[in-house]
Amino acid sequence: MSELMTIGELSAATGVPDSTIRFWERRDLIVPTTRRGGQRRYSPADVQRVAVLRLCQAAGFTLAEIGRMKRERHDEPFEWRRLVTAKLEDVQRRLTELDHARELLNHALRCGHDNILHCPGFQAAVRDGGTSEWYDESGAPE
């Protein structure tokens, strides 16, 4: 793939719709190498750039954050580490929230109360924002 590609060819090579590629262009996340006859042309390196964009999105980065990393890497080559560290902290916070949600849902399924609102464990979780341990009917931790 040494030739320049049209947006359709880049789309086919990456599995990313051409509309998404255009959207990323408007955000300056990807830039065509050149234009020929008014058509965008991309280099083979753009396949990797698209893959990196998708990977960053899969890791939870917003397009704004990805754009910030791209812009700042020229002025502050190691700034991306701070941004990745902040994203990692955010992911850890969300995982903790999801763990609490899973505990609540598991407790709700195991609870012997017909109405979860009457469950002492659920009431305790409501009082402390879901950060306490779950207890079974006997008062023992689950």
Side-chain angles (χ1 to χ4, degrees):
M1 203 187 309
S2 61
E3 302 253 342
L4 292 178
M5 297 174 278
T6 66
I7 194 167
E9 291 167 334
L10 180 62
S11 174
T14 61
V16 174
D18 56 357
S19 59
T20 300
I21 295 168
R22 285 187 194 97
F23 181 77
W24 289 345
E25 281 182 25
R26 288 191 299 274
R27 303 287 182 279
D28 292 324
L29 297 173
I30 191 165
V31 178
T33 302
T34 189
R35 288 185 181 262
R36 285 193 190 148
Q39 286 188 330
R40 299 166 175 89
R41 298 294 175 162
Y42 300 89
S43 73
D46 289 315
V47 172
Q48 183 178 6
R49 287 183 186 95
V50 168
V52 169
L53 281 168
R54 292 180 77 186
L55 183 64
C56 287
Q57 285 185 304
F61 286 97
T62 65
L63 293 180
E65 290 167 332
I66 296 167
R68 182 175 170 200
M69 279 193 289
K70 182 181 177 201
R71 286 186 304 276
E72 291 180 0
R73 77 171 180 228
H74 298 290
D75 298 331
E76 300 284 335
F78 298 104
E79 177 64 9
W80 66 270
R81 290 184 182 275
R82 189 184 64 74
L83 296 170
V84 168
T85 299
K87 181 55 66 178
L88 186 58
E89 290 168 358
D90 181 51
V91 166
Q92 185 58 53
R93 179 191 54 75
R94 288 187 286 150
L95 285 171
T96 299
E97 290 171 355
L98 287 171
D99 282 340
H100 288 294
R102 183 181 58 227
E103 289 173 15
L104 169 65
L105 295 170
N106 281 325
H107 178 80
L109 290 174
R110 288 190 307 269
C111 182
H113 290 85
D114 289 336
N115 184 338
I116 191 72
L117 298 177
H118 297 144
C119 170
F122 182 79
Q123 290 173 1
V126 169
R127 278 193 306 276
D128 71 12
T131 58
S132 68
E133 286 189 60
W134 288 100
Y135 294 89
D136 63 17
E137 296 300 313
S138 71
E142 291 186 315

